[in-house]
Amino acid sequence: MGYWVKQFVDGTSYRGTDEDIAFGNASWKKSRQKGIISASLHDVGKELRIKGIGEYWQSDQLLFDPITNYSKRISRRILRKIEPHDLFVRIIVEKNIITAEFFSSPVEGCVAVPEAWINKWFVLEFSCTSNKLSYYTSVEKG
Amino acid sequence: MVAVTFSLTNGGSAITSESDHGSAANGSTLTAKTYYVRHDGINSITNVKLYITRATGTYSGDATSVADIAELLSWGDASASASFGGVQFNMNASGSFPSTSWPTYDSKSPTGGAVARTGVGDSAANGITLSSLSGCSSDGVVQAGSAPNVRFQVRGVIPSSEDTLGKREWNLAISFDYTS
């Protein structure tokens, strides 16, 4: 069972498990959006994590199979809007974890945020079909 | 997990068997069918895209499902009008599915329409974004509800140069994003 976690600037957090979501007991959209300093997604031993105060989003991509009449999840994503004050980013890619952290001043291991990224969404994605993790930028919130 | 339903009426029963578009001679157009789409998510589904895939399940065509899908896409790819045809979409429900929203050899992706071809509607990655003309709340966004009246038409067009008789099969599929 997968789940995501929002961490807030006041030290609180909000967690949505697949089970809670299925029963309507958790919602990314309807829960607190302000003051998120970090968000993570966890599924089948994989972890995606973005840090840095800002606007976050989470979405799953699904395919509908008309033969079985079932929807199949093919990818899961955590996204963060890249703002003009995001001058540096540190992305650490490990076998089962990707961590991305945004900064306004340089820290060890960071690189400058390309200007072309500003106002786009930074996406961390887990492919449910290949089990691979990846990151990219997108104009769509998705 | 959000479930999608295709039906033949707004809010109607799910389609559970093959949808037959009929028979026609080469150079003719098969019957267009109207498909309604809805989902059971609490929130809207977004980034909704239509595409075709090879038929799965029990194949009852006259070649193979792989050959059928390749042929249907090649009809959409056609570089001469005599070999143009294929699986076509008209999403302009608000305009009563006008002829101008059906693709032609000269206009393969008119406003509110498209023909499945290589790179367009041939996979989830290349899906055709569901137009707001279909009754969805905006391009690619299908609102929640048991009868949202979101619909589109699908038809087959047989190239005039086609010389092989037989039944072709394909799957109509949909990809989408969902945020809880």
Side-chain angles (χ1 to χ4, degrees):
Chain A
M1 182 186 65
Y3 64 95
W4 43 256
V5 181
K6 296 178 183 179
Q7 299 279 352
F8 298 102
V9 68
D10 59 8
T12 61
S13 64
Y14 180 82
R15 174 181 161 123
T17 67
D18 290 341
E19 187 176 25
D20 283 342
I21 291 164
F23 285 103
N25 296 325
S27 164
W28 179 280
K29 235 177 190 176
K30 291 174 182 165
S31 58
R32 180 177 167 186
Q33 305 289 342
K34 299 281 185 191
I36 303 176
I37 56 166
S38 167
S40 59
L41 176 76
H42 310 251
D43 199 3
V44 294
K46 308 289 185 183
E47 182 177 332
L48 306 172
R49 182 180 297 276
I50 309 180
K51 298 177 179 177
I53 191 161
E55 183 181 353
Y56 284 81
W57 197 249
Q58 192 278 321
S59 70
D60 293 343
Q61 185 185 17
L62 299 96
L63 300 183
F64 172 68
D65 181 342
I67 299 301
T68 61
N69 264 321
Y70 282 109
S71 296
K72 176 184 176 188
R73 187 185 284 127
I74 59 167
S75 68
R76 314 196 75 174
R77 312 178 192 114
I78 287 279
L79 306 86
R80 179 186 178 279
K81 184 86 174 283
I82 305 168
E83 303 287 354
H85 63 255
D86 294 320
L87 300 178
F88 300 93
V89 61
R90 180 169 59 197
I91 303 170
I92 301 172
V93 180
E94 299 169 83
K95 186 180 177 188
N96 294 317
I97 304 173
I98 297 184
T99 305
E101 192 165 5
F102 288 87
F103 305 94
S104 56
S105 53
V107 299
E108 188 180 350
C110 74
V111 294
V113 171
E115 199 173 322
W117 285 17
I118 302 300
N119 294 322
K120 289 184 178 174
W121 289 85
F122 181 81
V123 185
L124 292 185
E125 183 171 276
F126 162 56
S127 166
C128 305
T129 52
S130 68
N131 267 353
K132 288 185 177 167
L133 307 179
S134 60
Y135 66 87
Y136 55 92
T137 59
S138 170
V139 293
E140 308 268 347
K141 187 155 71 172
Chain B
M1 196 94 70
V2 175
V4 170
T5 299
F6 283 123
S7 60
L8 296 174
T9 58
N10 185 25
S13 303
I15 297 169
T16 56
S17 58
E18 281 185 3
S19 190
D20 188 351
H21 283 257
S23 302
N26 53 338
S28 301
T29 300
L30 296 166
T31 306
K33 286 199 160 191
T34 304
Y35 296 104
Y36 290 75
V37 61
R38 65 182 190 270
H39 63 89
D40 66 358
I42 295 169
N43 303 316
S44 300
I45 59 174
T46 60
N47 203 22
V48 177
K49 294 182 177 182
L50 304 169
Y51 61 101
I52 61 172
T53 66
R54 71 179 183 85
T56 53
T58 304
Y59 178 74
S60 57
D62 290 310
T64 65
S65 61
V66 172
D68 282 359
I69 197 71
E71 183 180 36
L72 291 165
L73 292 170
S74 75
W75 290 354
D77 288 339
S79 55
S81 60
S83 48
F84 177 72
V87 179
Q88 305 189 348
F89 297 86
N90 185 333
M91 300 175 280
N92 194 350
S94 60
S96 303
F97 304 111
S99 59
T100 50
S101 288
W102 285 113
T104 62
Y105 172 69
D106 291 322
S107 178
K108 293 184 177 181
S109 291
T111 300
V115 58
R117 57 194 190 275
T118 302
V120 179
D122 64 348
S123 64
N126 297 326
I128 299 162
T129 299
L130 187 64
S131 168
S132 59
L133 298 171
S134 67
C136 60
S137 55
S138 58
D139 286 346
V141 179
V142 176
Q143 57 273 33
S146 58
N149 204 25
V150 175
R151 69 272 189 211
F152 57 90
Q153 288 193 334
V154 179
R155 72 180 188 183
V157 173
I158 305 163
S160 56
S161 63
E162 180 55 35
D163 58 4
T164 305
L165 291 171
K167 179 179 177 182
R168 272 73 166 180
E169 290 191 344
W170 72 88
N171 275 7
L172 172 63
I174 192 167
S175 72
F176 59 95
D177 291 349
Y178 186 71
T179 294
S180 62

